């Protein structure tokens, strides 16, 4: 699940580590989910206090939600942080086209100097990169040297100078010959680097920025400019005191003290899988509950500003906003002028089509207006509520809810945030509407109105689900396990979108977030599956339907299962570079068998029996001793004779036999059961390394987690003897690091989803807890403040890659085992 790059691990700073240790007990999550609907409508807070940082999309792009409360004229900020405003000095290409000189041959002489002659260098337009879709000058070599000349009239008048830079990979930047910045690694978007210590290098008149860029792996990219950070003359406000934060399955709840009143702030994304209409409704609630804390009454107004960046790919994109009303709602709407519906596919991408909505019930007497984002907070501070912008970029949708006189009794009001994608997915060249509007006859106003009218009942359902899910998780695996399941719930769901196929089938399509951006990746579905097997197996069918269709339509001609259906949101066929034959065929068979167990029948398997038979026959030929190929852990590279991959094949064959038996195909069941059983002693002999079983059959000095064994236990296949499990668990417990059990003997990195699968086949609760505890410790201590990452260094806790991925649905494996055992 790689894909493309191995991030380098940077050294931890001692002060950061100390601060982390001091705050470990206060932390509830590495990042806090606020709005979680799908891979586009996904907003997070990455600090433990909600007003210590600007809110972000899961990719790290700023998508500001800013909240303030006015109490008797005193203003307190409780949500987000005002974003800095910059004035362009030297434009980057997202603002204006510019030319550079460049060479891919190492230059002679002082190429960094202002007076260097680059007449023999090539000329090109920015940005520079290796993707013809985004770059105006193609660069595909190892190194590139770039020079850009520009003039500045009066550098002494600049307030604070910043380098605006987006680069891939390693970079050195020089201003008039002076090195002003260097970095190993790359960015996903523009970064603003303060140059105050290097400001004197900028001179009146002609200047030059010279850059050396080195590609180490994967993509290539360069775009840059200079900006001035504008002075903030706005009125200062007090920070609300955050008293607590709680995260549960569908809500994140903050409690603040705002002078003489208390504020309870609740973000609710009602992701209830037993109601697909509600699950697919792209509307979240922001609820305010206010009460006096001093036995007196106070005048209260609550303000929320939402950035138009929620509806753009790049902040420079022009948007247009509208203010209007329906009989029940006051509404603000914003979207890009361009509206490039389903015109691009990428991993590090935000949606730039469709429209973002802020809607308030009319009975709240909400006051709504639109301003430039940089002016929004100041408008509320000064009591201004007039719209001062309708078009442009980086606008703010502002909503003031007047509470009037508030006393000791709590008063509750809410607003809704929604997103209409218009079209969500392209599926084999046909554009599909979101599930809630499959007919094309529904409206987002209808969805917002339903959300408002059903507010009380929806909140009650969410609260009941939160309690029940936590109780079930607590019973299954204890408190730390339950807390991990809470962190996994919304994150996993929000990495999917729900649509209906032209064949009238459910499609529950994942995006492989931060690891390639592929859509409906089978080896992402595989670890995600337990969550959906518990709460709605039809959704897991929706994760398999597209892959079955790809094969059964003849569009995918191989006798093994495909890896993916494309790059999100374009599901037009596999775009990953090579197949994973044993991996994906095993995954599809095992998951189909798991659906049969969860539903108590194999009718879904029967629909696809011919395809399953093709895949299982491939496994019988190639699965026991796999040839060199990738598995789901493809970031680790190719591997031959992979013992854990062999387990997947054996389990897959037995799963096929189990389904055949359920369907009454007795002869088929006996045949494939015998094949699977015959492979087990061969596997044990080939993998036997004394006190453990090896990573590969040909190297007994290796070891690995055999997480694929979990299905033998959970589905009660009874293939492998208990000795295998006991031997492996005992060995694993001797190999644990601070933040978990490494994936295998090659490196210290690990995958927390696989650890929780491995823990599930532990024979007793003590061993289960011993494996779970470091994973929980990682979640509340990691320096990587991103939506929970699943791939990290087991010693440092720093992420190697990946964040916000659906695979954390795999945390629910222990709960799924308990659910099946209770049947």
């Amino acid at each position: 699940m790689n894909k493309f790059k191995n991030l380098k691990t940077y050294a931890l700073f001692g002060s950061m580590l100390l601060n982390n240790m001091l705050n470990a007990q206060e932390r509830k999550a590495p990042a806090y989910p606020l709005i979680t609907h799908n891979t586009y409508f996904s907003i997070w807070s990455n600090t433990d206090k909600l007003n210590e940082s600007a809110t972000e999309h899961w990719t790290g792009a700023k998508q500001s939600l800013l909240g303030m409360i006015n109490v008797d004229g005193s203003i307190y900020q409780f949500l987000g942080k005002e974003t800095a405003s910059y004035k362009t000095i030297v434009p980057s290409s997202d603002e204006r086209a510019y030319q550079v000189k460049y060479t891919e041959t190492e230059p002679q002489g002082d190429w960094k100097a202002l007076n260097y002659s680059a007449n023999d260098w090539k000329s090109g337009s920015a940005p520079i990169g290796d993707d013809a879709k985004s770059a105006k000058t193609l660069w595909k070599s190892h190194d590139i040297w770039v020079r850009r000349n520009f003039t500045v009239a009066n550098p002494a008048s600049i307030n604070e100078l910043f380098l605006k830079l987006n680069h891939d990979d390693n970079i050195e930047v020089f201003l008039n010959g002076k090195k002003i910045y260097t970095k190993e690694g790359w960015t996903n978007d523009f970064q603003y680097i303060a140059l105050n210590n290097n400001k004197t290098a900028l001179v009146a008149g002609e200047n030059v920025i010279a850059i050396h860029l080195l590609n180490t792996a994967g993509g290539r990219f360069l775009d840059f400019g200079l900006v001035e950070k504008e002075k903030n003359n706005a009125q200062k406000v007090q920070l609300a005191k955050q008293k607590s934060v709680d995260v549960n399955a569908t809500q994140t709840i903050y409690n603040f003290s705002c002078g003489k009143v208390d504020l309870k702030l609740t973000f609710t994304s009602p992701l209830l899988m037993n109601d697909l209409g509600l699950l697919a409704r792209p509307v979240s609630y922001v609820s305010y509950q206010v009460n006096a804390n001093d036995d007196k009454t106070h005048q209260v107004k609550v303000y929320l500003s939402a950035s138009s960046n929620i509806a753009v790919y790049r902040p420079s994109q022009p948007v247009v906003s509208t203010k209007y009303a329906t009989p029940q709602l006051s509404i603000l709407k914003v979207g890009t002028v361009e509206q490039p519906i389903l015109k691009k596919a990428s991993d590090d991408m935000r949606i730039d089509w469709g429209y973002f909505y802020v809607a308030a019930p009319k009975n709240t007497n909400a006051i709504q207006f639109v301003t430039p984002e940089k002016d929004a907070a100041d408008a509320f501070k000064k009591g201004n509520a007039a719209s001062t912008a309708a078009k442009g970029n980086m606008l703010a949708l502002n909503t003031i809810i007047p509470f009037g006189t508030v006393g000791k009794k709590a008063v509750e009001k809410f607003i809704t945030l929604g997103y209409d994608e218009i079209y969500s997915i392209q599926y084999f060249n046909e554009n599909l509407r979101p599930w809630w509007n499959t007919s094309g006859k529904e409206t987002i106003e209808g969805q917002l109105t339903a959300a408002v009218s059903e507010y009380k009942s929806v909140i009650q359902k969410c609260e009941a689900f939160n309690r029940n899910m936590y109780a079930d998780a607590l019973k299954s695996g204890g408190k730390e396990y339950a807390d991990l399941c809470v962190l996994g719930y919304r994150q996993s769901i929000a990495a999917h979108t729900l649509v209906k196929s032209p064949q009238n089938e459910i499609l529950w399509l994942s995006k492989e977030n931060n690891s390639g951006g592929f859509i409906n990746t089978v080896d992402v579905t595989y670890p995600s599956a337990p969550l959906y097997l518990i709460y709605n197996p039809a959704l897991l069918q929706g994760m398999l339907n597209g892959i079955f269709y790809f094969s059964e339509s003849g569009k995918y001609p191989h006798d093994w299962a495909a890896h993916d259906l494309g790059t999100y949101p374009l599901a037009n066929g596999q775009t990953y570079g090579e197949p994973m034959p044993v991996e994906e065929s095993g995954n599809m068979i095992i998951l189909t068998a798991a659906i049969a167990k969860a539903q108590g029948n194999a009718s879904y398997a029967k629909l696809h029996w011919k395809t399953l038979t093709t895949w299982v026959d491939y496994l019988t030929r190639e699965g026991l001793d796999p040839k060199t190929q990738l598995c789901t852990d493809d970031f680790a590279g190719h591997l031959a004779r992979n013992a854990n991959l062999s387990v997947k094949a054996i389990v897959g064959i037995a799963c096929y036999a189990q389904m055949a038996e359920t369907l009454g195909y007795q002869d088929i069941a006996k045949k494939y059961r015998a094949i699977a059983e015959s492979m087990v002693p061969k596997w044990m002999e080939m993998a036997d390394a004394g006190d453990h079983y090896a990573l590969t059959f040909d190297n007994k000095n290796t070891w690995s987690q055999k997480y694929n064994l979990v299905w033998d236990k959970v589905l009660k296949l009874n293939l492998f003897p208990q000795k295998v499990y006991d031997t492996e668990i005992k060995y694993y417990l001797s190999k644990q690091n601070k933040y978990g059990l490494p994936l295998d003997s090659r490196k210290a990195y690990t995958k927390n989803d696989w650890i929780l699968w491995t823990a599930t086949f532990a024979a007793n609760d003590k061993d289960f807890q011993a494996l779970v505890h470091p994973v929980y410790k990682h979640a509340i201590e990691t320096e990587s403040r991103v939506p929970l990452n699943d791939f990290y260094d087991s010693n440092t806790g720093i992420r190697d890659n990946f964040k916000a991925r659906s695979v954390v649905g795999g945390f629910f494996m222990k709960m799924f085992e308990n659910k099946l055992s209770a049947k």
Side-chain angles (χ1 to χ4, degrees), residues 82 101 109 149 154 268 288 299 542 564 570 720 780 799 818:
E82 292 179 62
K101 289 282 191 177
N149 290 81
N154 185 13
T268 305
Y288 314 110
Q299 294 298 309
D564 63 81
L570 307 182
F720 289 82
I780 63 169
R799 73 187 186 105
N818 282 14

Side-chain angles (χ1 to χ4, degrees), residues 139-439:
W139 161 46
K140 296 195 175 182
S141 62
H142 193 252
D143 294 80
I144 194 168
W145 291 260
V146 177
R147 286 172 59 89
R148 180 182 182 186
N149 290 81
F150 59 94
T151 59
V152 175
N154 185 13
S157 67
I158 296 172
N159 175 37
E160 293 183 60
L161 183 65
F162 281 74
L163 174 66
K164 180 182 177 183
L165 179 64
N166 187 0
H167 67 95
D168 188 353
D169 293 338
N170 301 351
I171 195 166
E172 294 178 293
V173 184
F174 301 85
L175 176 58
N176 296 328
K178 180 180 181 182
K179 184 183 285 189
I180 58 171
Y181 184 68
T182 183
K183 179 181 177 179
E184 290 187 3
W186 65 93
T187 60
N188 292 318
D189 206 340
F190 284 109
Q191 304 295 311
Y192 293 84
I193 298 109
L195 297 180
N196 291 335
N197 294 335
N198 295 295
K199 185 177 173 181
T200 56
L202 192 67
V203 298
E206 188 175 3
N207 295 263
V208 67
I209 290 177
I211 291 174
H212 173 219
L213 200 60
L214 168 68
N215 180 61
T216 59
R220 299 162 177 81
F221 192 80
L222 177 64
D223 196 2
F224 62 98
L226 292 175
V227 297
E228 174 187 7
K229 185 177 182 181
E230 295 184 310
K231 292 181 180 178
N232 185 357
N233 298 315
Q235 173 188 345
K236 298 294 183 183
V237 298
Q238 301 177 69
L239 290 180
K241 181 180 179 181
Q242 184 175 310
K243 297 188 294 184
S244 67
V245 56
D246 291 296
V247 183
N248 54 46
T250 65
Q251 296 175 307
T252 302
I253 304 167
Y254 294 89
N255 281 285
F256 297 94
S257 174
C258 308
K260 296 174 181 178
V261 305
D262 290 337
L263 168 67
K264 180 180 179 182
L265 177 70
T266 303
F267 295 89
T268 305
S269 295
L271 306 182
L272 302 178
M273 286 184 271
N274 65 345
D275 184 340
L276 294 186
L278 183 58
L279 177 73
R281 181 188 292 164
V283 181
S284 275
Y285 301 101
V286 182
S287 307
Y288 314 110
Q289 187 173 296
V290 181
N291 64 279
N293 56 33
D294 64 352
D295 296 324
K296 297 180 181 179
T297 59
H298 304 281
Q299 294 298 309
V300 175
K301 292 185 287 188
V302 178
Y303 164 80
L304 181 78
S305 171
S307 172
S308 65
N309 284 355
I310 295 168
V312 304
Y313 176 38
R314 301 290 186 199
S316 58
Q317 288 178 277
V319 298
V320 60
S321 66
T322 308
K323 176 185 174 182
Y324 65 105
T326 68
Q328 294 85 23
L329 303 173
S330 175
I331 300 174
L332 294 174
K333 167 186 177 181
V334 71
T336 60
V337 173
E338 182 186 6
Q339 289 296 305
I341 295 175
L342 296 170
K343 294 299 184 185
K344 58 178 71 72
S346 180
D347 189 0
D348 178 31
M349 196 177 90
R350 277 69 56 196
I351 193 168
D352 59 359
W353 68 87
Y355 295 91
F356 170 58
Y357 295 79
V358 180
K362 274 195 172 174
N363 61 16
T364 63
N365 299 313
I367 302 163
Q368 292 192 301
F369 58 104
V370 181
T371 65
E373 190 175 320
K374 64 185 179 64
D375 301 333
D378 208 37
F380 178 66
K381 296 169 192 174
K382 293 177 179 178
N384 299 332
S387 290
T388 56
K391 296 181 180 179
N393 64 343
M394 296 188 70
L395 303 183
L397 308 187
N398 306 294
T399 302
I400 299 172
I401 302 290
F403 278 71
T405 302
V406 175
K408 202 168 186 180
K409 183 179 179 181
V411 179
E412 183 181 36
K413 297 189 179 186
F414 69 93
I415 64 172
T416 60
L417 306 182
Y419 205 102
D420 181 5
E421 295 180 342
I422 303 175
Y423 287 95
S424 299
I425 296 294
Q426 186 174 99
Y427 184 72
F428 294 102
N429 301 306
E430 183 170 343
N431 291 353
L432 303 182
R433 297 181 184 274
W435 179 272
W436 62 267
N437 192 24
T438 299
S439 69

Side-chain angles (χ1 to χ4, degrees), residues 500-791:
K500 185 170 286 188
S501 78
Q503 295 74 37
N504 208 35
E505 291 184 318
I506 291 175
L507 295 176
W508 181 235
L509 300 172
S510 65
K511 179 176 181 180
E512 194 173 333
N513 287 347
N514 198 227
S515 56
F518 304 102
I519 187 168
N520 204 183
T521 303
V522 176
D523 57 292
V524 168
T525 295
Y526 179 65
S528 307
L531 173 60
Y532 307 100
L533 285 164
I534 294 170
Y535 293 109
N536 192 343
L539 287 173
L540 183 54
Q541 291 179 14
M543 299 161 84
L544 306 188
N545 284 336
I547 302 296
F548 278 123
Y549 172 76
F550 196 16
S551 283
E552 292 166 0
S553 65
K555 300 177 190 297
Y556 187 75
H558 303 290
D559 59 351
W560 57 77
H563 170 273
D564 63 81
L565 291 183
T567 300
Y568 197 97
L570 307 182
N572 296 324
Q574 181 169 319
T575 53
Y576 188 51
E578 64 178 286
M580 299 182 189
V582 173
E583 173 69 37
E584 311 302 16
S585 300
N587 291 343
M588 289 294 293
I589 295 169
I590 291 168
L591 295 179
T592 305
I595 290 170
K597 274 285 188 180
Q599 294 180 329
N601 65 77
S603 57
Y604 182 68
K606 189 174 183 179
L607 290 174
H608 302 290
W609 195 249
K610 183 178 178 181
T611 306
L612 292 167
T613 302
T614 300
W615 292 340
V616 81
D617 286 341
Y618 180 85
L619 293 183
T620 61
R621 295 193 308 270
E622 303 289 343
L624 176 60
D625 195 352
K627 296 173 183 174
T628 301
Q629 59 188 270
L630 293 172
C631 72
T632 183
D633 304 315
D634 52 359
F635 49 80
H638 295 77
L639 201 63
R641 313 197 70 192
N642 182 339
N644 190 41
L645 191 57
S646 176
V647 169
K648 179 167 288 180
I650 297 169
V651 169
I653 295 165
C655 281
Y656 178 84
Q658 187 180 72
M659 290 185 287
E661 185 174 9
T662 303
L663 289 168
Y665 305 157
Q666 297 302 330
D667 291 344
I668 295 174
K670 289 177 182 177
K671 174 186 173 182
Y672 287 93
R673 177 69 192 190
I675 292 171
E677 288 180 349
S678 71
M679 289 180 171
V680 172
K682 295 175 184 175
W683 183 92
M684 292 175 65
E685 181 180 353
M686 290 190 293
D688 189 5
D691 60 352
H692 69 281
Y693 294 92
L695 166 66
T696 61
F697 294 139
D698 55 357
N699 189 346
K700 301 305 173 64
N701 293 318
T702 61
W703 65 273
S704 66
Q705 290 189 50
K706 308 299 188 302
Y707 52 80
N708 288 321
L709 280 168
V710 73
W711 296 107
D712 184 35
K713 286 286 188 184
V714 171
L715 301 180
K716 296 182 171 56
L717 300 173
N718 301 316
L719 278 173
F720 289 82
Q722 188 61 37
K723 172 191 172 183
V724 172
Y725 297 98
D726 293 343
T727 299
E728 286 289 275
I729 291 293
K730 182 178 180 181
Y731 191 79
Y732 298 155
L733 292 173
S734 73
K735 293 294 181 181
Q736 291 215 103
N737 291 327
K738 181 178 181 180
Y739 293 114
L741 175 67
L743 187 64
D744 56 50
S745 53
R746 288 172 289 183
K747 292 186 179 180
Y749 54 50
T750 193
K751 293 278 275 84
N752 51 21
D753 49 343
W754 297 148
I755 293 176
L756 266 64
W757 283 29
T758 296
T760 298
F761 61 71
N764 57 71
D765 185 64
K766 179 183 177 182
D767 291 346
F768 176 84
Q769 298 298 339
L771 289 163
V772 168
H773 175 69
V775 176
Y776 172 76
K777 188 178 176 71
H778 166 259
I780 63 169
E781 292 184 5
T782 177
E783 296 284 348
S784 301
R785 301 309 300 268
V786 298
L788 186 62
N789 78 286
D790 53 285
F791 175 36

